[in-house]
Amino acid sequence: MTDLVRPLLAALINDDLRLVLAEALAEGLEPLSPAKRARARQKLIDTGVVTADGDALTFDPGQAREALQAMARPRREGLDRFLTDTGRVDRYPSDHETRVEFLTMLAKRALQPGERMTEPVLTVRLEGLADDAVLLRRHLIDYGVAERTAGGEEYWLAEA
């Protein structure tokens, strides 16, 4: 439900989208009686969604713009910009150097220096960091952040 709020506010800001939305919202509705229209009109005025100028109602898209801006999430800095609000992998950096740095940070969350663990144990730990723990484990090896035995039985942090 909350995923709909931002695009809805954005649609209210744009004149073309607002017109099409109004048409879609009115589609198939029966006209209101004068009494219902007056009550609905007054509710819109009372809530500040519209203003009245005689019989005309005016919608100020500035209010929707302000509401949308108030909902803006603060931009994350550094490696945190690749994580969700809950600290899980949202996406991987495209830049090689940044990706290695990001993977190193994740590896240190799952593995302690000198610690060796089996693949299943590592996978369980990585599931706490990423939706695709197998991909993350593969990245850790491919980018040299972690090492494993030739048969893949044990994993550990690579020495820096």
Side-chain angles (χ1 to χ4, degrees):
M1 179 71 160
T2 57
D3 292 340
L4 184 61
V5 173
R6 294 177 66 84
L8 186 57
L9 286 171
L12 292 174
I13 293 168
N14 181 290
D15 292 340
D16 294 341
L17 296 179
R18 190 169 61 250
L19 180 60
V20 172
L21 178 61
E23 291 169 355
L25 291 172
E27 181 71 29
L29 294 177
E30 295 294 321
L32 294 176
S33 68
K36 280 188 175 182
R37 176 173 288 289
R39 280 195 304 275
R41 175 186 162 90
Q42 193 58 50
K43 282 183 183 179
L44 288 171
I45 293 167
D46 291 346
T47 59
V49 172
V50 297
T51 55
D53 184 14
D55 288 340
L57 293 179
T58 304
F59 173 76
D60 177 10
Q63 289 181 309
R65 187 175 293 105
E66 288 173 16
L68 190 58
Q69 288 171 347
M71 292 177 65
R73 296 182 191 112
R75 293 188 64 89
R76 291 204 170 100
E77 301 287 324
L79 297 177
D80 285 346
R81 69 185 186 274
F82 301 107
L83 299 173
T84 65
D85 291 338
T86 59
R88 296 173 57 79
V89 174
D90 179 47
R91 64 192 185 284
Y92 292 95
S94 57
D95 174 71
H96 178 79
E97 187 177 311
T98 306
R99 184 176 286 208
V100 172
E101 188 179 350
F102 181 65
L103 291 169
T104 300
M105 176 188 75
L106 295 173
K108 289 179 178 177
R109 291 181 181 182
L111 293 156
Q112 299 301 312
E115 179 181 33
R116 294 174 79 98
M117 68 181 62
T118 64
E119 181 180 294
V121 171
L122 177 59
T123 301
V124 168
R125 288 189 186 180
L126 296 178
E127 285 172 348
L129 300 173
D131 291 338
D132 191 341
V134 174
L135 175 65
L136 175 54
R137 189 181 69 227
R138 179 81 259 146
H139 282 334
L140 295 178
I141 299 302
D142 289 348
Y143 285 87
V145 174
E147 295 180 27
R148 66 179 185 158
T149 57
E153 298 88 14
E154 287 188 320
Y155 289 77
W156 61 92
L157 278 176
E159 292 185 26

